[in-house]
Amino acid sequence: MIDFTNGSVFKLTACDPGELVPQVAPFLIQGEQVIFGFRSVRDFVVFTNKRLMAVNVQGLTGSKTDFTTLPYNKIQAFSVETAGSFDRDTELDLWFSGLGQIRLEFKRNVDIRQLSQMIANYVL
């Protein structure tokens, strides 16, 4: 499982979700669609209409990959922090039943409000 306590792993930048679909397609269920995609250097996170999937590429060659699924129906609460004048990064905190808090940090230019609305639609 991915170590979500290491914030530097998840300093994410928005990317075209279509770029990530081929890598997660074997794990998607019928009717599941990738809505948002965010990437760091090698790792990435996708938000589907059913779950959040964090993908951790491991090793020097990247041949070993960890896919962690966090279903929306296990989210008990969530919080967003928008960018400010000096701190341009945004944050998303999610509290999952049986797992605890997960924090994802996003670089500037990520529309955290749009992501928050999507999560609210599936959680509330």
Side-chain angles (χ1 to χ4, degrees):
M1 181 141 164
I2 294 172
D3 178 12
F4 288 98
T5 59
N6 183 357
S8 63
V9 174
F10 290 102
K11 203 71 147 180
L12 301 163
T13 304
C15 69
D16 177 10
E19 295 174 18
L20 306 174
V21 170
Q23 294 167 334
V24 298
F27 300 99
L28 301 178
I29 62 172
Q30 185 175 3
E32 188 173 14
Q33 299 174 342
V34 175
I35 300 170
F36 291 108
F38 302 93
R39 146 181 319 278
S40 64
V41 177
R42 294 190 331 166
D43 303 331
F44 62 91
V45 174
V46 294
F47 289 83
T48 75
N49 58 330
K50 306 259 183 217
R51 60 184 155 171
L52 169 132
M53 188 182 300
V55 181
N56 181 9
V57 179
Q58 302 173 357
L60 294 173
T61 63
S63 59
K64 184 174 180 180
T65 306
D66 176 77
F67 294 84
T68 300
T69 291
L70 303 164
Y72 296 139
N73 66 0
K74 298 297 182 188
I75 296 175
Q76 295 176 316
F78 67 96
S79 170
V80 296
E81 182 178 300
T82 60
S85 297
F86 297 106
D87 180 10
R88 306 218 13 145
D89 295 340
T90 59
E91 297 173 359
L92 171 65
D93 291 316
L94 302 159
W95 285 267
F96 286 88
S97 174
L99 183 60
Q101 181 183 0
I102 303 299
R103 172 172 280 178
L104 299 173
E105 297 180 18
F106 301 91
K107 292 184 179 179
R108 61 186 180 278
N109 300 331
V110 169
D111 188 351
I112 197 73
R113 290 177 180 96
Q114 187 179 21
L115 183 59
S116 174
Q117 275 190 333
M118 187 223 44
I119 292 170
N121 280 327
Y122 292 114
V123 173
L124 303 177

